[in-house]
C-alpha cells in the first residue's frame, strides 16, 4: 500500500490541471490544423478535377473562335475576363475570387495562321506566402489546353494528323513496377515512397516529443525535490528506495503514454486531413485510367508493406522501452542538478541523443553509412526506435529484434547505476559543478560550522 500511495503522490504531482489543459490544447491545435489542411487539399483537388479557364480574349480572329469551341468540346468551362493591356490588375478588383487569367493578345490568330509560335500572357495574383496558395488557381491548366490546340493547328499545317502528333509528343508507353524483396506491384516507386513517408512521419515526431517531455518532467521533479530538501524527507520514509525510484519512473511513464495517445490521435488527424483528399483523388484517377494499375493502398498490401496488430504491439513495446531508458537517464541527470538553471542544461545530452539519429534516419539509410558512422549511430539506443517501423515493414526482423535486445541491455545498465546512485547517500550531495562549488557542499559546511 505504501508503494501505491507513493505512486499516487507522483501521479498527482505530474497530472495536474495545467498538464491536462496543455493536452487539450495540443489536441485541439492538431484537429484544427487537420481541418485546415483538408480544406486546402480539397481546394487543390477540386481545381484539378474541375479546371476553369479564366481568359481575356483580345483577338477576334476565326482561329481564336475555333480554339474556344475546342475548349468547350473538352468540357472546359471558360470564364471571360475584361482587361486592358495598360491595367492588367483591374480584373482582380472586379472579380474578388479571381486568382489568375490568360490574355490572348491581338494578332494571336494571324501569327498562328502564318505557322509561327503565337504569344500569350499569363497573369497571376500573389496574395499569400503559404505553400498551398501557389498550388491553386494557376494558369498551368489553361496554358496546357492552349498549347494542345496550337500544336494541333501547327501539325495540320505541316500535314501531320492528330494521331501522329500524339505519337510524336509521347513516343513511349512506360509501365512502372516496384519491387520489395521478392514481391512486385504494378505501380510507380514514387507513389509507394509518398505513402511510406506519410505513414512513417508520425512515429518519429511522437518519439522525439515524448522523450523531451518525459526527460524534462523527471529531471525537474528530481532536481526540485533535491533543491527544496524534500528528497531527504522522502528517502527517510519507511519505504525502500527501490520503490521510490520505481514509483517515480512508473508515474512518468504513465504520463508519457498519455501524452503519446493524445499526440497519435492529433498527428493522425493532421496527416489524414493533409493527404486524404489528394490520395483518394489520385487513387480514383489511376483506377479509371487503367484497370490493370492498382492503387497505392492495394500495392502496399501486395508488396507486404502493411503492418498488423502484432507489429503495432511490438512497436509499442519498443516505444515503452525507449521511454524507460529515457527515464533512467533522466534520474541520473536530475541527481546532478544543483540549481534550476542546471536542470535545463541537463536536458542537452538527451536532446543530442535524440536529434542525431532522428536527422540521420530522416535523410539516409543507416545501413548504407560508412562502417564507423554506422556503429556510432547504432550505439545510440533511440536509433532503434526510429527504425522500428521500417524494419518491420521491410521484413528486417533481425535488425528489429537485435535493436530491441540492445535497448533492453542498455536500459538494464543505466537502471543499475540509477538504483545504485539512489540507494546511496550520494544522491543528496552529488552534483555537476562545472568548476563551481556545489551549493549542497556549502550548505553542509555551514551546518558543521
Amino acid at each position: 500500500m505504501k508503494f501505491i500511495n507513493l505512486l499516487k503522490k507522483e501521479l498527482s504531482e505530474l497530472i495536474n490541471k495545467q498538464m491536462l489543459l496543455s493536452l487539450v490544447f495540443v489536441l485541439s491545435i492538431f484537429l484544427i490544423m487537420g481541418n485546415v489542411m483538408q480544406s486546402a487539399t480539397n481546394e487543390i483537388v477540386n481545381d484539378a478535377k474541375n479546371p476553369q479557364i479564366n481568359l481575356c480574349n483580345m483577338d477576334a480572329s476565326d482561329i481564336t473562335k475555333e480554339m474556344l469551341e475546342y475548349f468547350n468540346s473538352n468540357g472546359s468551362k471558360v470564364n471571360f475576363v475584361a482587361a486592358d493591356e495598360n491595367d492588367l490588375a483591374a480584373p482582380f478588383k472586379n472579380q474578388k475570387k479571381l486568382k489568375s487569367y490568360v490574355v490572348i493578345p491581338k494578332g494571336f490568330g494571324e501569327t498562328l495562321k502564318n505557322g509561327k509560335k503565337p504569344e500569350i500572357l499569363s497573369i497571376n495574383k500573389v496574395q499569400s506566402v503559404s505553400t498551398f496558395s501557389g498550388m491553386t488557381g494557376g494558369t498551368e491548366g489553361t496554358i496546357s489546353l492552349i498549347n494542345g490546340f496550337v500544336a494541333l493547328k501547327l501539325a495540320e499545317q505541316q500535314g501531320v494528323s492528330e494521331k501522329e502528333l500524339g505519337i510524336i509528343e509521347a513516343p513511349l508507353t512506360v509501365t512502372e513496377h516496384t519491387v520489395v524483396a521478392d514481391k512486385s506491384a504494378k505501380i510507380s516507386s514514387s507513389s509507394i515512397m509518398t505513402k511510406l513517408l506519410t505513414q512513417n512521419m508520425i512515429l518519429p515526431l511522437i518519439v522525439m516529443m515524448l522523450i523531451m517531455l518525459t526527460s524534462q518532467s523527471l529531471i525537474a521533479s528530481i532536481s526540485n525535490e533535491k533543491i527544496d530538501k524534500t528528497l531527504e524527507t522522502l528517502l527517510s520514509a519507511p519505504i525502500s528506495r527501490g520503490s521510490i525510484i520505481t514509483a517515480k519512473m512508473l508515474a512518468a511513464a504513465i504520463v508519457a503514454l498519455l501524452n503519446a495517445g493524445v499526440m497519435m490521435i492529433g498527428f493522425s488527424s493532421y496527416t489524414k486531413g493533409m493527404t486524404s483528399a489528394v490520395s483518394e483523388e489520385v487513387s480514383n484517377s489511376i483506377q479509371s485510367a487503367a484497370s490493370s494499375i492498382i492503387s497505392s493502398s492495394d500495392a502496399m498490401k501486395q508488396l507486404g508493406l502493411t503492418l498488423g496488430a502484432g507489429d503495432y504491439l511490438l512497436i509499442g513495446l519498443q516505444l515503452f522501452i525507449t521511454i524507460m531508458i529515457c527515464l533512467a537517464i533522466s534520474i541520473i541527470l536530475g541527481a546532478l542538478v544543483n540549481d534550476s538553471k542546471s536542470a535545463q542544461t541537463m536536458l542537452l545530452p538527451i536532446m543530442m541523443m535524440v536529434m542525431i539519429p532522428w536527422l540521420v534516419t530522416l535523410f539516409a539509410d543507416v545501413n548504407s553509412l560508412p562502417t564507423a558512422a554506422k556503429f556510432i549511430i547504432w550505439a545510440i539506443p533511440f536509433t532503434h526506435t526510429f527504425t522500428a517501423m521500417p524494419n518491420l515493414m521491410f521484413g528486417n526482423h533481425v535488425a528489429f529484434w537485435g535493436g530491441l535486445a540492445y535497448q533492453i541491455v542498455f536500459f538494464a545498465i543505466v537502471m543499475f547505476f540509477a538504483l545504485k546512485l539512489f540507494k546511496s547517500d550520494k544522491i543528496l550531495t552529488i552534483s555537476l559543478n562545472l568548476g563551481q562549488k556545489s551549493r549542497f557542499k556549502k550548505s553542509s559546511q555551514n551546518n558543521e560550522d
Side-chain angles (χ1 to χ4, degrees):
M1 290 300 294
K2 292 180 179 179
F3 175 76
I4 299 298
N5 292 333
L6 184 59
L7 179 60
K8 288 181 179 179
K9 168 191 170 292
E10 295 296 334
L11 285 173
S12 63
E13 291 179 357
L14 294 174
I15 303 177
N16 48 38
K17 291 181 180 179
Q18 290 82 358
M19 179 240 178
L20 294 176
L21 285 174
S22 65
L23 287 179
V24 172
F25 177 75
V26 169
L27 182 59
S28 301
I29 289 295
F30 280 116
L31 290 175
I32 293 171
M33 289 173 63
N35 289 330
V36 170
M37 296 302 292
Q38 187 171 12
S39 175
T41 52
N42 279 334
E43 185 179 356
I44 296 172
V45 170
N46 288 332
D47 282 353
K49 288 172 62 178
N50 307 303
Q52 179 173 306
I53 299 175
N54 299 312
L55 200 64
C56 175
N57 185 17
M58 297 182 179
D59 185 62
S61 65
D62 293 336
I63 290 182
T64 305
K65 294 177 182 178
E66 184 182 348
M67 183 176 66
L68 295 176
E69 292 175 0
Y70 171 78
F71 293 161
N72 291 326
S73 65
N74 287 333
S76 301
K77 183 181 178 182
V78 180
N79 173 43
F80 290 101
V81 177
D84 185 84
E85 292 181 353
N86 298 321
D87 189 7
L88 296 175
F92 298 110
K93 300 174 184 177
N94 300 328
Q95 299 185 33
K96 299 298 183 182
K97 293 185 178 181
L98 185 67
K99 296 181 180 179
S100 63
Y101 67 95
V102 173
V103 177
I104 307 296
K106 295 177 182 179
F108 175 88
E110 187 67 25
T111 304
L112 183 56
K113 186 177 179 180
N114 294 331
K116 298 179 181 179
K117 293 174 63 175
E119 180 188 9
I120 59 174
L121 305 180
S122 175
I123 315 300
N124 293 275
K125 181 182 180 181
V126 176
Q127 57 184 3
S128 173
V129 296
S130 64
T131 303
F132 285 166
S133 64
M135 299 175 66
T136 59
T139 59
E140 292 81 4
T142 304
I143 294 174
S144 177
L145 286 172
I146 296 174
N147 268 328
F149 174 79
V150 171
L152 187 59
K153 295 301 293 183
L154 291 175
E156 287 177 357
Q157 292 177 9
Q158 299 296 326
V160 179
S161 66
E162 185 175 355
K163 183 177 180 180
E164 291 171 334
L165 178 62
I167 295 174
I168 293 171
E169 290 180 340
L172 290 175
T173 300
V174 180
T175 303
E176 295 189 72
H177 288 256
T178 299
V179 175
V180 175
D182 58 346
K183 300 175 183 178
S184 65
K186 201 173 186 179
I187 193 171
S188 66
S189 59
S190 59
S191 300
I192 295 297
M193 286 303 300
T194 301
K195 191 82 172 179
L196 288 174
L197 288 173
T198 302
Q199 289 185 354
N200 288 278
M201 181 177 65
I202 299 175
L203 184 63
L205 289 174
I206 291 175
V207 170
M208 187 174 65
M209 294 182 69
L210 276 181
I211 291 174
M212 299 302 177
L213 289 172
T214 53
S215 301
Q216 190 172 24
S217 64
L218 193 56
I219 289 175
S221 175
I222 298 290
S223 61
N224 288 337
E225 287 186 344
K226 186 176 178 181
I227 294 170
D228 296 338
K229 299 297 184 180
T230 56
L231 185 60
E232 297 179 14
T233 305
L234 182 62
L235 294 178
S236 62
I239 186 172
S240 67
R241 295 191 178 185
S243 297
I244 294 174
I245 192 173
T246 303
K248 286 184 175 293
M249 292 183 64
L250 187 57
I254 292 172
V255 174
L257 292 175
L258 180 61
N259 278 277
V262 172
M263 289 181 186
M264 288 188 73
I265 294 172
F267 272 116
S268 298
S269 174
Y270 171 70
T271 53
K272 183 179 179 181
M274 185 173 62
T275 61
S276 60
V278 176
S279 300
E280 181 182 354
E281 184 56 31
V282 169
S283 176
N284 292 337
S285 63
I286 289 175
Q287 290 178 346
S288 62
S291 58
S292 61
I293 300 177
I294 60 177
S295 66
S296 57
S297 298
D298 292 335
M300 292 279 286
K301 294 178 183 178
Q302 189 170 321
L303 294 170
L305 295 177
T306 55
L307 298 177
D311 295 321
Y312 283 109
L313 286 175
L314 289 175
I315 292 172
L317 173 63
Q318 193 155 42
L319 180 58
F320 179 76
I321 297 297
T322 301
I323 293 173
M324 298 308 290
I325 292 173
C326 171
L327 294 176
I329 296 174
S330 299
I331 284 177
I332 297 175
L333 295 177
L336 298 175
V337 172
N338 54 15
D339 54 52
S340 57
K341 292 182 179 180
S342 301
Q344 299 298 325
T345 307
M346 287 300 174
L347 193 60
L348 184 61
I350 297 180
M351 288 179 63
M352 295 299 295
M353 292 176 67
V354 174
M355 293 298 294
I356 291 173
W358 178 64
L359 290 173
V360 170
T361 55
L362 184 64
F363 296 107
D365 180 10
V366 179
N367 294 318
S368 65
L369 297 175
T371 304
K374 187 190 304 182
F375 280 109
I376 292 173
I377 298 300
W378 282 128
I380 302 174
F382 302 128
T383 302
H384 305 282
T385 309
F386 291 127
T387 58
M389 186 177 287
N391 282 336
L392 290 175
M393 275 188 171
F394 288 94
N396 300 327
H397 297 291
V398 175
F400 174 83
W401 288 108
L404 184 60
Y406 174 74
Q407 284 186 316
I408 292 173
V409 172
F410 191 94
F411 168 69
I413 294 172
V414 177
M415 193 64 193
F416 169 78
F417 286 106
L419 283 170
K420 189 174 181 180
L421 175 63
F422 223 82
K423 288 181 179 181
S424 69
D425 292 334
K426 289 183 179 180
I427 186 69
L428 301 173
T429 57
I430 192 172
S431 65
L432 191 64
N433 295 325
L434 298 175
Q436 296 179 355
K437 200 171 185 180
S438 171
R439 63 182 289 241
F440 301 103
K441 290 183 180 180
K442 284 183 179 180
S443 177
S444 325
Q445 292 176 356
N446 291 334
N447 291 335
E448 289 177 0
D449 295 340

